[in-house]
């Protein structure tokens, strides 16, 4: 159908309802149904049938989506074992000697998130559950953990050429280079040269330690952090509901119960993929997901056996916990299926094309990277998909850059950075949903607390892409990092709230005082 302003209705309804009601499942359902209703010319029965058959069942039958769903099922079982075994608390108890301040705890989570570079799904669902008890013990909010693991998920993955993100992006780049008969640049070369110009993800990764060391917070995050210092944490889905927690890490689960399964997970992953050249060479996405699923299965079996061996849980109970845990992420899976459905509806309505049409016009070559970044950011935030944004914008951006003389590598980086923004921030993005899930944080609470930090990075990125469009120099990224520090410190002085860097002794003293008051 011809694109029109009607194509914006589903995403406007979805985001508007999500903000108003804080019920993402209902909001996604309404968004998908409204789009299908438009495609069905207003016939409700036809719309319902089409929604179920063409936009829900179709997502389940897609091999990529099915692979992610199966992966999430196995991850759910493993995460539940970690929670019920006391393994996460054992890990927290062990590292408490080293991460004995709020600042060190945040840096530790940041390093762990970067270390799990191989999957944007793995970062929130491995790092999140392990660090949740540590963050609670150190009086750091769930929202802060969600922001850290979200900022070390997609922003790391988009910089790595030999995992799914890089493979997918290079496939799009290769198609455009071949269409333009460019033979002196390969897709690998183009991606590698674009990495230093990926300003947005680089700035996001820099911002986490900067915030941890400066202790300046803004808006909703400041409120969440101040509440956490009082031992008060928001419950999932509703920031107005609060719970008082005093984490006592006194379980006796041996640390090997959680470390050995994680070792098995990584050993299995690398053992299966190493013959294909991983991590040096590209690995097909399907093979990668199969390796991850196998790794999670072997890790779960290892943990069940160790729980029985160390008398943490009987073998039968461990198996029962695992089977029940397989459905742990069911709500998350529903959100993903509906988010994918919304993306498909957007493609059918021409949402992305309409946004591009509104932004097209006569523009100077130096401004192309910045404009491409803004278009990609708006599109990915609206649709919640970076890969979908890459697929729409890359075929426009590369020919435009070549025809008008804009820096090619900077333009490619602008596509990737812009598409990443929405994946990083949108309430209908799968990684945003998973980051909130992994940290036991409400989705909308995560979005509102994360957005100011992401917007600072995006604002500096726009300036950076303008400068890079003029100079075509990687020095621009270094300058942007310095500018980020300046802007953040200035914003901290004007609007920021200082949060104390409590250490473990301060927290134990607070817990003792609170315990005496309750008595």
């Amino acid at each position: 159908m011809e694109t029109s302003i009607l194509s914006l209705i589903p995403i406007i309804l979805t985001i508007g309802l999500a903000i108003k009601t804080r019920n993402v499942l209902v909001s996604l359902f309404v968004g998908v149904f409204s789009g299908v209703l438009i495609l069905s010319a207003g016939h409700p029965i036809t719309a319902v049938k089409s929604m179920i058959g063409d936009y829900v069942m179709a997502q389940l039958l897609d091999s990529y989506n099915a692979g992610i769903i199966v992966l999430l099922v196995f991850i759910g079982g493993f995460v539940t074992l970690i929670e019920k075994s006391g393994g996460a608390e054992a890990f927290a108890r062990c590292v408490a000697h080293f991460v004995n301040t709020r600042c060190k705890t945040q840096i530790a989570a940041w390093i762990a998130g970067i270390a799990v570079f191989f999957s944007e799904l793995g970062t929130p669902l491995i790092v999140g559950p392990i660090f949740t008890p540590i963050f609670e013990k150190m009086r750091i909010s769930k929202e802060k953990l969600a922001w850290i693991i979200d900022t070390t998920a997609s922003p790391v993955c988009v910089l790595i050429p030999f995992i799914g993100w890089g493979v997918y992006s290079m496939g799009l780049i290769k198609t455009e280079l071949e269409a333009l008969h460019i033979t002196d640049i390969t897709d690998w070369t183009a991606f590698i040269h674009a990495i230093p110009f990926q300003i947005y993800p680089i700035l996001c990764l820099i911002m986490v330690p900067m915030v941890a060391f400066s202790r300046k917070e803004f808006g909703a995050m400041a409120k969440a952090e101040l509440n956490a210092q009082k031992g008060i944490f928001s419950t999932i889905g509703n920031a107005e509901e609060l719970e008082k927690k005093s984490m006592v890490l006194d379980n006796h689960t041996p640390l090997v119960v959680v470390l050995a399964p994680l070792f098995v997970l990584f050993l299995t992953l690398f053992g299966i993929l190493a013959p294909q050249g991983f991590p040096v060479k590209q690995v097909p996405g399907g093979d990668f997901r199969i390796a991850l699923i196998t790794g999670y299965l072997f890790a779960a079996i290892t943990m069940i056996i160790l729980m029985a061996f160390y008398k943490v849980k009987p073998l039968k109970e461990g198996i029962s916990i695992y089977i029940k845990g397989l459905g742990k992420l069911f709500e998350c899976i529903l959100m993903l299926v509906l988010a994918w459905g919304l993306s498909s509806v957007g493609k059918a309505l021409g949402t992305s094309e309409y946004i591009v049409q509104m932004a097209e016009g006569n523009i100077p070559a130096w401004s192309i990277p910045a404009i491409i970044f803004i278009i990609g950011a708006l599109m990915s935030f609206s649709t919640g998909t970076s890969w979908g944004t890459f697929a729409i914008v890359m075929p426009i951006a590369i020919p435009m850059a070549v025809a008008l003389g804009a820096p090619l590598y900077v333009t490619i980086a602008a596509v990737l950075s812009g598409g990443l923004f929405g994946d990083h921030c949108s309430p209908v993005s799968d990684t945003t949903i998973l980051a909130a899930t992994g940290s036991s944080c409400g989705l909308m609470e995560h979005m509102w607390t994360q957005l100011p930090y992401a917007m600072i990075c995006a604002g500096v990125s726009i300036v950076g892409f303008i400068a890079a469009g003029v100079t075509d120099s990687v020095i621009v990224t270094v300058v942007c990092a310095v500018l980020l520090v300046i802007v953040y410190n200035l914003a901290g002085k004007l609007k920021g709230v200082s949060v104390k860097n409590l250490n473990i002794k301060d927290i134990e003293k607070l817990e003792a005082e609170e315990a005496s008051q309750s008595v």
Side-chain angles (χ1 to χ4, degrees):
M1 64 178 292
E2 186 178 347
T3 60
S4 71
I5 197 170
L6 290 177
S7 65
L8 300 179
I9 289 177
I11 192 61
I12 290 173
L13 274 176
T14 301
I15 294 177
L17 280 174
I19 293 172
K20 179 67 177 176
T21 66
R22 300 183 183 275
N23 191 318
V24 179
L25 275 175
V26 171
S27 304
L28 283 168
F29 181 87
V30 171
V32 175
F33 181 74
S34 66
V36 178
L37 193 63
I38 294 170
L39 291 169
S40 304
H43 298 292
I45 303 299
T46 303
V48 171
K49 291 170 59 180
S50 178
M51 178 179 174
I52 295 172
D54 301 329
Y55 295 98
V56 175
M57 293 298 297
Q59 303 308 319
L60 298 173
L61 295 174
D62 180 87
S63 60
Y64 174 83
N65 293 351
I68 289 181
I69 290 171
V70 173
L71 176 58
L72 284 173
V73 169
F74 280 89
I75 288 175
F78 181 64
V79 168
T80 303
L81 283 175
I82 290 179
E83 292 175 348
K84 299 297 184 182
S85 69
E89 286 83 356
F91 178 78
R93 187 179 65 246
C94 178
V95 302
H97 300 291
F98 306 99
V99 290
N100 52 8
T101 68
R102 297 179 81 257
C103 177
K104 289 180 181 179
T105 303
Q106 294 173 64
I107 296 298
W110 175 69
I111 293 172
I114 293 174
V116 189
F117 65 87
F118 50 82
S119 171
E120 81 280 10
L121 304 178
T123 300
L125 296 174
I126 295 175
V127 178
I130 287 177
F131 272 86
T132 294
I134 306 176
F135 270 58
E136 290 179 348
K137 176 64 179 177
M138 298 305 299
R139 301 287 180 102
I140 307 173
S141 65
K142 297 175 182 178
E143 290 85 346
K144 175 60 74 65
L145 177 58
W147 171 60
I148 292 174
I149 60 178
D150 204 353
T151 305
T152 52
S154 302
V156 172
C157 291
V158 78
L159 298 171
I160 308 296
F162 49 77
I163 63 174
W165 285 68
V167 173
Y168 177 79
S169 300
M170 284 186 279
L172 297 173
I173 294 168
K174 182 180 180 181
T175 300
E176 299 311 313
L177 293 178
E178 289 178 347
L180 294 169
H181 305 291
I182 297 174
T183 57
D184 58 334
I185 301 174
T186 66
D187 54 321
W188 175 268
T189 301
F191 186 90
I192 295 298
H193 280 81
I195 290 174
F197 292 108
Q198 290 202 49
I199 300 172
Y200 179 77
I202 291 172
L203 293 184
C204 285
L205 292 172
I206 292 172
M207 184 163 243
V208 173
M210 186 173 66
V211 171
F213 285 115
S214 71
R215 296 179 280 109
K216 292 288 186 181
E217 307 290 356
F218 302 94
M221 184 71 83
K223 182 179 178 181
E225 285 289 86
L226 292 174
N227 278 333
Q229 290 216 333
K230 300 172 187 175
I232 300 172
F233 298 83
S234 60
T235 58
I236 293 179
N238 191 347
E240 301 303 320
E241 295 180 11
L242 301 171
E243 59 179 351
K244 187 82 174 181
K245 269 197 177 182
S246 179
M247 279 298 298
V248 181
L249 302 178
D250 59 355
N251 76 86
H252 302 290
T253 300
L255 188 59
V256 68
V257 170
V258 68
L259 290 186
L262 289 174
F263 176 76
V264 169
L265 168 61
F266 290 118
L267 184 65
T268 303
L269 178 68
F270 282 86
I272 292 175
L273 297 180
Q276 300 183 50
F278 181 82
V280 178
K281 294 183 180 179
Q282 303 175 22
V283 174
D287 292 348
F288 197 89
R289 287 189 295 278
I290 291 172
L292 269 176
I293 291 169
T294 306
Y296 277 112
L297 176 60
F298 286 173
I301 293 171
T302 303
M303 182 170 280
I304 291 170
I305 293 172
L306 287 173
M307 285 165 60
F309 181 79
Y310 286 102
K311 298 182 173 23
V312 176
K313 300 283 183 184
L315 185 64
K316 185 176 180 181
E317 186 177 350
I319 295 172
S320 177
I321 289 171
Y322 180 67
I323 292 173
K324 289 179 181 178
L326 294 175
K328 177 182 177 67
L329 299 179
F330 180 71
E331 184 175 347
C332 176
I333 291 171
L334 283 180
M335 287 185 190
L336 288 178
V337 171
L338 289 173
W340 291 328
L342 183 65
S343 177
S344 296
V345 168
K347 290 175 184 176
L349 288 171
T351 303
S352 300
E353 290 87 340
Y354 182 72
I355 294 173
V356 171
Q357 288 172 12
M358 290 192 298
E360 280 181 336
N362 296 318
I363 53 176
W366 58 264
S367 67
I368 287 176
I371 291 173
I372 290 295
F373 173 78
I374 293 171
I375 292 172
L378 291 172
M379 189 181 302
S380 56
F381 187 83
S382 299
T383 59
T385 168
S386 53
W387 287 27
T389 300
F390 298 161
I392 295 294
V393 180
M394 198 72 80
I396 298 170
I398 292 179
M400 187 184 298
V402 172
L404 299 180
L408 178 61
Y409 301 140
V410 179
T411 304
I412 291 172
V415 175
L416 299 175
S417 290
L420 176 70
F421 174 82
D423 185 87
H424 187 209
C425 300
S426 173
V428 295
S429 163
D430 52 1
T431 48
T432 306
I433 293 168
L434 291 174
T437 301
S439 58
S440 300
C441 171
L443 176 60
M444 298 310 296
E445 285 70 54
H446 169 42
M447 188 203 79
W448 283 123
T449 49
Q450 173 170 263
L451 201 55
Y453 302 92
M455 291 300 294
I456 291 174
C457 291
V460 175
S461 297
I462 292 172
V463 175
F465 280 118
I466 292 173
V470 174
T471 65
D472 193 14
S473 171
V474 295
I475 295 176
V476 168
T477 304
V478 178
V479 175
C480 283
V482 175
L483 181 59
L484 177 67
V485 175
I486 294 171
V487 170
Y488 181 78
N489 286 330
L490 180 61
K493 290 180 180 178
L494 296 175
K495 294 287 185 180
V497 175
S498 293
V499 179
K500 292 180 181 178
N501 184 29
L502 299 177
N503 59 41
I504 192 69
K505 291 182 179 178
D506 295 329
I507 292 167
E508 289 173 350
K509 184 178 178 181
L510 283 173
E511 290 177 345
E513 290 175 354
E514 290 166 358
S516 63
Q517 289 174 4
S518 63
V519 173

